[in-house]
Amino acid sequence: MISDGETTQLPHLPVWTNISSPSDWAFVFAFPTNERGFNNACISCEYCGWYLDWSQYHSILIRPYLQFVHPLKSLGVTVFEHASLGDFSYSVKKKKGVVLFTHCNQETYQFEFRKRMVSFASLVASVPTGFDGILDLSVCSPPSEMAQLIKAKAPRSGVAYTKQELYPTSWLRYYSYFFAQLAKGDMSYKAAAELARQKFSGH
């Protein structure tokens, strides 16, 4: 997820059309947003360790996060910074739509959260059986069976994802635009996501 400026493949869109307000959503941003958290994550996790230092990390990830995602709070989106698995679990219990923005180890299929890497099985287990909203998963190279296993656990859920490597600035801009469309009112998840897909496809 370090590189930027590449073409991205936007997520497959589920068919749900009844989630139409930013306040229906949580944005679960699993990465640290300050230097202390960054230094700790370099020890306990792996994504931050790919960067030379806090300055490079801040420039590539946190600066666009502060520009594009942090302001979503003013639209009514619940934003979790340096989120734990507990924050994700809370979100899927309380919200109709959840964006998970994190890193996935391509060999172990562990997902990065605050202070630790979490197994794929633990992530799926945290999704309630009765969850009938949207999980929008911005996760680098996730397991191919991820959507199927989440759907098996929560059959009425919708899962949006991409199998490609993600580029931070492009995707954070995508979500900024997506929630801006929802905030206009009278627009479904699918319609807003399609507009965002059209705007950023190939960028």
Side-chain angles (χ1 to χ4, degrees), residues 73-109:
K73 296 178 182 181
S74 66
L75 299 180
V77 179
T78 299
V79 178
F80 290 93
E81 299 178 348
H82 202 185
S84 65
L85 179 63
D87 294 329
F88 173 78
S89 179
Y90 174 87
S91 297
V92 294
K93 291 175 182 175
K94 299 295 184 179
K95 295 293 183 176
K96 297 179 182 178
V98 179
V99 176
L100 174 61
F101 196 93
T102 191
H103 159 70
C104 175
N105 182 297
Q106 298 180 31
E107 296 181 356
T108 65
Y109 291 137

Side-chain angles (χ1 to χ4, degrees), residues 16 31-32 45-46 51 53 74 94 111 114 121 144 156 158 170 191 196:
W16 275 250
F31 302 115
C45 297
E46 65 179 33
Y51 292 88
D53 51 27
S74 66
K94 299 295 184 179
F111 294 77
R114 187 174 67 229
S144 59
R156 297 176 62 194
S170 300

Side-chain angles (χ1 to χ4, degrees), residues 40-85:
N40 289 335
C42 286
I43 298 172
S44 61
C45 297
E46 65 179 33
Y47 178 72
C48 290
W50 295 348
Y51 292 88
L52 294 175
D53 51 27
W54 162 252
S55 178
Q56 185 192 37
Y57 172 81
H58 184 275
S59 176
I60 291 176
L61 183 62
I62 301 307
R63 185 177 297 160
Y65 165 79
L66 293 174
Q67 179 180 357
F68 296 117
V69 175
H70 192 267
L72 297 179
K73 296 178 182 181
S74 66
L75 299 180
V77 179
T78 299
V79 178
F80 290 93
E81 299 178 348
H82 202 185
S84 65
L85 179 63

